[in-house]
Amino acid sequence: MYVKEIYLENFRNYKKQHVCFSKNLNILYGNNAQGKTNMLESIFLGAIGKSFKPVSEKEMIMFGEKFSDIRIDYFSSGRDMYNTVRLFSEKKKAVSVNGVELTKMSELLGKLTVVVFTPEELSLIKDGPFARRRFLDISISQIKPKYLHTLSSYNRVLEQKNKLLKEIKYTPSLEKTLSLWNEQLALYGSKIILYRIEFIKRIMETAAKIHREISKNKEELTVKYKTVDFSAENMSEKNIKEALTQLLEKNYDKEITFAQAVTGPHRDDLIFYINGNNSKVFGSQGQQRTTVLSLKLAQKELFLEETGEEPILLLDDITGELDLSRREYLFSKIKNSQVFITCTDTDRIENTKNAKYFNISDGKVCEK
Ligand SMILES: Nc1ncnc2c1ncn2[C@@H]1O[C@H](COP(=O)(O)OP(=O)(O)O)[C@@H](O)[C@H]1O
Ligand SMILES: [Mg+2]
């Protein structure tokens, strides 16, 4: 699959912009704060309906405007397709595929799959658990659209439960409805945990192999999916649901006291180990970057397996983050993909055969 063209209107610092891309390598270069990352963000948004940054829809609309339009034309599953995303400052976005407006966001997924590699993502190991859950959620959604649906249901129930917990403080009689929300949380929560564990099992096999290759067999990467208070690895959905139900009962009073839902996969985390040592605590910056690079390349392999097509790759400013040997390794693995890479200095990009160059300056893209 590959992106053919993109049209932007009022997207961040792009007033009106149309760009035709190469199906191989696209090099977006220019000074800082000109719109390089914004261009990658618009591709990601057009492909999967959200930003790779944790930002609100409103933030992506050009300052002072009320809406933003993105149209992305691409080739996937042997045919030409297009998605449109319209962001509004006052209401939720509208999304369409081939001109048909979608009622469920999950219908957008799986058509144009994307793997991103940004300096922010390189701190995935160091960051708080939110970043790691987000990585899982966005990755799984792209290949298992039903996951997004389950996750939305879970988040809706969680929101209701949190609201109720705050109200119970003032109206104690409301407590009798709490167990109904807990039942729903255990139902959706166990499905989410199972999806995540299956995804991790699959991605880690490849990631560990890649990590071994980059570290020249010196490092063995392993991971643990951490659930609050019980170990869900190797459990069936039914058993996870039971464990979650018991835990919700155990924390029942505590949640009322703190007026906050603290039980469930919205609190889970991933812990990475290198040669058995927790990478977040003991890993060097180099080791942590190797791990993220391995994870991302494994994600690419998994997407290829699932869809039968190479996902597109967005590489934001990686030259400052990865040394030459890691960059060379990366490029050797992504030869068959459409790649978008941003940089301030084109001299520092190797392997530029078949590349198309774009200069980006003050929200304007100029093909060179
Ligand atoms: N909603 C917005 N409206 C207008 N301009 C924006 C908006 N969001 C970000 N910008 C501008 O985009 C520029 C940053 O673009 P970015 O793509 O991050 O730059 P870089 O080329 O360094 O990657 C800044 O000048 C910033 O002011
Ligand atoms: Mg940038």
Side-chain angles (χ1 to χ4, degrees):
M1 57 181 72
Y2 59 94
V3 178
K4 299 170 85 168
E5 338 176 8
I6 196 160
Y7 304 79
L8 303 177
E9 192 171 342
N10 297 339
F11 182 82
R12 291 212 186 257
N13 65 336
Y14 291 99
K15 185 70 202 156
K16 269 203 168 114
Q17 186 68 56
H18 173 215
V19 196
C20 294
F21 294 113
S22 155
K23 63 175 174 177
N24 303 303
L25 178 59
N26 295 280
I27 298 174
L28 316 175
Y29 68 96
N31 293 333
N32 280 323
Q34 302 302 309
K36 300 185 296 296
T37 304
N38 295 347
M39 181 53 71
L40 298 189
E41 188 184 36
S42 74
I43 296 170
F44 195 83
L45 178 70
I48 75 160
K50 58 159 69 193
S51 171
F52 50 65
K53 299 182 199 165
V55 293
S56 68
E57 289 168 13
K58 203 173 158 178
E59 276 172 74
M60 293 183 275
I61 302 172
M62 179 174 256
F63 302 140
E65 299 295 337
K66 292 202 154 32
F67 73 92
S68 172
D69 271 334
I70 293 97
R71 171 178 161 141
I72 188 163
D73 287 58
Y74 58 101
F75 188 78
S76 172
S77 314
R79 63 189 188 119
D80 288 326
M81 300 182 64
Y82 70 97
N83 299 342
T84 66
V85 177
R86 175 171 269 210
L87 305 173
F88 299 97
S89 54
E90 306 291 337
K91 55 177 181 175
K92 277 198 168 166
K93 63 182 177 255
V95 179
S96 79
V97 176
N98 298 335
V100 180
E101 188 142 343
L102 304 184
T103 48
K104 280 192 257 147
M105 239 3 87
S106 54
E107 291 168 36
L108 178 67
L109 298 167
K111 297 176 175 65
L112 187 56
T113 50
V114 194
V115 175
V116 270
F117 212 98
T118 64
E120 291 77 30
E121 300 252 344
L122 279 163
S123 59
L124 192 72
I125 313 282
K126 265 217 179 81
D127 283 347
F130 172 76
R132 287 180 291 278
R133 284 193 300 267
R134 203 163 177 277
F135 163 72
L136 283 177
D137 292 343
I138 292 181
S139 307
I140 302 169
S141 299
Q142 287 199 58
I143 44 172
K144 305 273 180 217
K146 267 195 185 151
Y147 176 79
L148 181 65
H149 201 62
T150 311
L151 188 66
S152 312
S153 305
Y154 181 84
N155 286 334
R156 212 171 40 241
V157 175
L158 183 66
E159 206 179 296
Q160 295 293 330
K161 180 178 163 182
N162 272 321
K163 215 170 121 213
L164 177 69
L165 285 167
K166 290 199 172 63
E167 286 167 357
I168 288 175
K169 275 210 145 130
Y170 306 100
T171 323
S173 64
L174 288 172
E175 194 195 313
K176 57 182 181 297
T177 54
L178 184 56
S179 59
L180 292 174
W181 294 118
N182 280 348
E183 257 172 51
Q184 298 273 306
L185 276 190
L187 174 74
Y188 296 124
S190 55
K191 290 184 196 297
I192 289 167
I193 292 173
L194 195 69
Y195 268 117
R196 286 181 179 171
I197 288 174
E198 278 174 2
F199 174 79
I200 292 157
K201 260 190 207 144
R202 287 186 64 190
I203 199 176
M204 281 313 290
E205 229 171 87
T206 315
K209 188 176 129 253
I210 296 171
H211 194 111
R212 225 177 285 134
E213 254 173 56
I214 302 175
S215 69
K216 311 219 159 49
N217 289 318
K218 286 200 197 79
E219 295 173 10
E220 190 62 35
L221 175 67
T222 49
V223 78
K224 190 176 157 33
Y225 181 76
K226 185 169 156 274
T227 20
V228 186
D229 257 19
F230 69 97
S231 177
E233 279 159 340
N234 304 317
M235 269 188 174
S236 67
E237 186 179 327
K238 185 168 162 276
N239 290 345
I240 297 173
K241 194 175 161 213
E242 276 168 20
L244 210 48
T245 305
Q246 276 174 17
L247 198 61
L248 283 159
E249 275 163 24
K250 190 180 141 204
N251 290 341
Y252 189 90
D253 293 333
K254 188 168 133 195
E255 294 193 319
I256 292 179
T257 309
F258 290 107
Q260 206 183 0
V262 295
T263 321
H266 63 289
R267 287 295 178 101
D268 290 352
D269 198 359
L270 280 179
I271 306 173
F272 293 93
Y273 300 89
I274 289 172
N275 298 334
N277 298 314
N278 187 330
S279 174
K280 183 171 182 161
V281 186
F282 301 106
S284 69
Q285 195 178 49
Q287 287 174 323
Q288 293 177 348
R289 285 179 176 178
T290 302
T291 299
V292 180
L293 178 59
S294 308
L295 267 180
K296 293 284 164 172
L297 285 172
Q299 188 186 356
K300 177 193 97 72
E301 291 305 320
L302 183 54
F303 283 10
L304 170 63
E305 249 177 61
E306 284 283 321
T307 67
E309 294 186 54
E310 292 279 357
I312 63 168
L313 279 136
L314 307 179
L315 312 179
D316 195 19
D317 252 335
I318 54 152
T319 35
E321 309 289 330
L322 297 175
D323 58 20
L324 184 63
S325 73
R326 288 194 186 87
R327 284 203 309 270
E328 276 178 345
Y329 184 86
L330 170 62
F331 275 103
S332 74
K333 295 285 174 187
I334 59 176
K335 281 193 209 107
N336 301 322
S337 309
Q338 185 185 32
V339 178
F340 296 83
I341 181 163
T342 69
C343 58
T344 43
D345 186 357
T346 51
D347 292 348
R348 294 187 61 192
I349 310 270
E350 302 83 21
N351 313 295
T352 51
K353 225 173 81 194
N354 294 324
K356 217 168 168 180
Y357 286 82
F358 301 91
N359 178 250
I360 299 191
S361 172
D362 194 19
K364 283 176 199 73
V365 181
C366 182
E367 195 188 327
K368 291 285 164 180

